[in-house]
Amino acid sequence: MSENKQNLEEVLTCSVCVQMFREPVVLSCQHSFCKECIRSVAEKSKSGVTGEQTTCSPEGEDVRHVIHCPVCRAPISLGTDGVAGLPLNFQLAEIVERFSSDAKVEDNIIPHCAVCEEDNKSKAVKYCCYCRLLYCDDCLSAYHPMKGSLKQHRLITSEEHLSQGNMKDQEKNNSQLSTESTCDQHDQAMSLYCVTCRMLLCLGCVVEHPEHKVRDIVSATEKEKATFLDKTGGLEKSAKEIKRCLSGFKGIQNNIQENHDLHTKAIQSASSAALEALNSWKTSALETVKTRHSDWSVQCGASVKHLSILEEELERMQQASKDLLSSTDVKFLQGSKVLTERYVLSFSYFLPLSLFNQAFDKTSTTH
C-alpha cells in the first residue's frame, strides 16, 4: 500500500472501531463516526456506565439524551430521535465507498482464523470489529456466540475485512492482541492507550476515561518510546562514571591496607629502639593509626559495597531496557512505566556521584 493511500485510509477510519467508516454520521462538534459505534456509545451512557444523564419530561419520556464525543469529549445532545436523528455524512460515505471499490485485494492471501490451533488453522469467514479477531465458523460458534455482551459486537465478512487493509499485517496484529492483552472486564482486545492514566484500554473501557487523552497502540508506542529513551538515555554514561569511581575506591582500599602495614612496622621499629620513657608514646601512636585506618577502611568498604550494588542494578536495568525496547508494543507499554520509575527510584536511594568523587579526592589526598 502506497504512503498516500495509507494516509487516506487512516483519515477514513472510525476512531471508535478503528475500521473504515460504515454509515458515517456527523456530530455537532463536526467529528464523524460509524452510526453503530455512536449507537453503542449512546446505549452504554444511557445505561449509566459513563455517568452521563438523560433529561426526561414530567411524563417520563426521554427528551434529550446527552453523550460525549469519543474524540473531543464535547457534550452532544441526541435530541428526541436519538442516534437515528443524527445526519449522515454523505460526502464522507461517498469517499469511503470509492476508496473501498478502488482498493485491490492482494492475490493468494487466505484469511485464517486467529483462534484455531497453529498447526490446523481454518479459513476465516467473519471478523469482529470490536475484538479485532478473525473467526472460522466453528470458533465463532464456540467462542463468540452473538448473545450477552458479545451481542453488541459488530461482525463483518472476512472479504470485507480483507478489502480494508493488508491482511498479513491485520492477522499479525490480531494474533498479538488476542494473546497479549484482553480486557478482563469487557473480554475485548485492548487496542487503545490512555495517555492520562498510562494504561491499556479496550473499546469498552474508553467511556470510563472521560476527557482523557486516548491514543491508538501504534502512535502511543512511538510517543512512549521517545519519552522512555529521553529519561533513560543517561544509563550508559552513569554506568561508566560509577565504574570509574568503583575502580578508584578499590585501589584506595588496597592502599589503605598497605599503608596501615607500613606505618605499623615503622612505629614498632622506632619504639623498640626508644627508651622506656617512650613506651607511652608508642601505645598512643599505634592506637591513633589503628583507629584512623579502621575508620577509613570501614568508610571505603561501605562505598565499595554501595557502588557494587548500584553497578549490578544498572546492568540489570540496561539489559531490561534492551529487552523492553525489542519487545512488542503491548509489552513495552505495560513495562515502560515500571522500568522508568524503577530507574528514578534506584538513584534516589544512592548518594550523588559528586559526593563519591569528593570522598575519592579527599581520601587520595590524605594518603
Side-chain angles (χ1 to χ4, degrees):
M1 184 181 293
S2 66
E3 183 177 353
N4 291 336
K5 187 175 181 181
Q6 185 175 2
N7 292 337
L8 178 58
E9 184 176 359
E10 291 177 358
V11 173
L12 301 179
T13 299
C14 174
S15 60
V16 176
C17 65
V18 200
Q19 299 295 322
M20 295 282 286
F21 285 108
R22 293 170 60 91
E23 292 187 87
V25 294
V26 60
L27 305 183
S28 58
C29 61
Q30 300 306 308
H31 288 121
S32 296
F33 305 92
C34 297
K35 190 172 185 178
E36 286 302 317
C37 293
I38 289 300
R39 192 185 306 278
S40 177
V41 172
E43 288 176 355
K44 290 179 180 179
S45 66
K46 194 172 183 180
S47 64
V49 175
T50 63
E52 298 164 356
Q53 297 181 353
T54 301
T55 302
C56 300
S57 66
E59 291 76 15
E61 298 179 351
D62 285 347
V63 175
R64 183 174 57 88
H65 183 194
V66 177
I67 64 172
H68 286 87
C69 172
V71 174
C72 66
R73 308 307 298 169
I76 307 296
S77 176
L78 298 181
T80 57
D81 293 331
V83 176
L86 292 174
L88 180 67
N89 193 331
F90 291 100
Q91 185 176 11
L92 180 59
E94 183 178 356
I95 295 174
V96 172
E97 183 178 358
R98 290 183 179 181
F99 180 85
S100 300
S101 62
D102 293 339
K104 295 182 179 179
V105 179
E106 294 186 12
D107 295 333
N108 301 322
I109 294 180
I110 299 176
H112 291 100
C113 177
V115 184
C116 288
E117 297 294 335
E118 288 293 333
D119 298 334
N120 188 27
K121 282 187 173 295
S122 302
K123 181 180 178 180
V125 296
K126 292 291 184 179
Y127 176 77
C128 177
C129 300
Y130 280 73
C131 300
R132 300 181 69 184
L133 290 176
L134 288 157
Y135 293 92
C136 65
D137 282 328
D138 293 337
C139 291
L140 183 66
S141 175
Y143 304 109
H144 199 293
M146 296 305 291
K147 58 184 180 180
S149 60
L150 297 178
K151 188 176 181 180
Q152 305 299 325
H153 292 199
R154 181 161 65 90
L155 297 179
I156 60 177
T157 65
S158 58
E159 288 76 13
E160 289 178 306
H161 174 59
L162 182 62
S163 66
Q164 294 177 3
N166 189 304
M167 179 58 67
K168 291 181 179 179
D169 292 339
Q170 291 290 343
E171 285 189 330
K172 180 179 178 182
N173 184 58
N174 290 338
S175 177
Q176 176 184 344
L177 287 174
S178 65
T179 56
E180 290 189 3
S181 59
T182 300
C183 180
D184 294 334
Q185 182 179 357
H186 303 102
D187 195 26
Q188 298 180 18
M190 296 201 288
S191 58
L192 301 173
Y193 182 73
C194 178
V195 179
T196 306
C197 301
R198 301 194 70 180
M199 63 182 296
L200 292 166
L201 306 175
C202 72
L203 294 174
C205 295
V206 173
V207 294
E208 300 173 7
H209 293 253
E211 301 182 6
H212 287 193
K213 189 174 183 180
V214 178
R215 294 177 178 268
D216 62 275
I217 287 288
V218 176
S219 61
T221 299
E222 293 177 354
K223 182 69 175 178
E224 286 296 312
K225 277 189 176 182
T227 303
F228 178 80
L229 290 174
D230 181 60
K231 291 183 178 180
T232 61
L235 277 173
E236 185 175 355
K237 182 179 179 181
S238 299
K240 289 181 179 179
E241 183 68 11
I242 288 176
K243 284 182 179 293
R244 186 189 73 81
C245 293
L246 181 61
S247 177
F249 272 106
K250 285 182 177 180
I252 293 175
Q253 190 177 32
N254 293 332
N255 291 336
I256 289 175
Q257 185 59 47
E258 292 175 359
N259 289 335
H260 173 265
D261 295 340
L262 290 174
H263 291 164
T264 301
K265 290 180 180 179
I267 293 173
Q268 289 177 339
S269 177
S271 64
S272 63
L275 298 174
E276 186 176 358
L278 297 178
N279 285 337
S280 59
W281 170 85
K282 171 186 173 182
T283 302
S284 177
L286 286 173
E287 187 63 25
T288 300
V289 170
K290 181 178 180 180
T291 301
R292 181 179 300 173
H293 285 80
S294 176
D295 293 340
W296 287 341
S297 181
V298 169
Q299 293 175 7
C300 190
S303 298
V304 169
K305 182 178 180 181
H306 197 73
L307 290 169
S308 296
I309 294 174
L310 183 54
E311 180 187 37
E312 293 175 359
E313 175 64 10
L314 280 174
E315 290 176 352
R316 289 193 294 269
M317 291 182 66
Q318 281 182 295
Q319 184 60 46
S321 296
K322 291 178 180 179
D323 294 341
L324 189 59
L325 288 172
S326 62
S327 66
T328 63
D329 293 347
V330 173
K331 287 185 178 180
F332 173 81
L333 293 173
Q334 290 173 331
S336 61
K337 177 183 178 182
V338 176
L339 190 56
T340 302
E341 293 176 348
R342 175 182 170 188
Y343 173 72
V344 175
L345 184 62
S346 296
F347 277 90
S348 66
Y349 285 103
F350 292 91
L351 293 175
L353 292 179
S354 59
L355 297 180
F356 286 102
N357 290 333
Q358 294 176 7
F360 176 87
D361 296 335
K362 180 178 180 181
T363 311
S364 299
T365 301
T366 306
H367 287 282

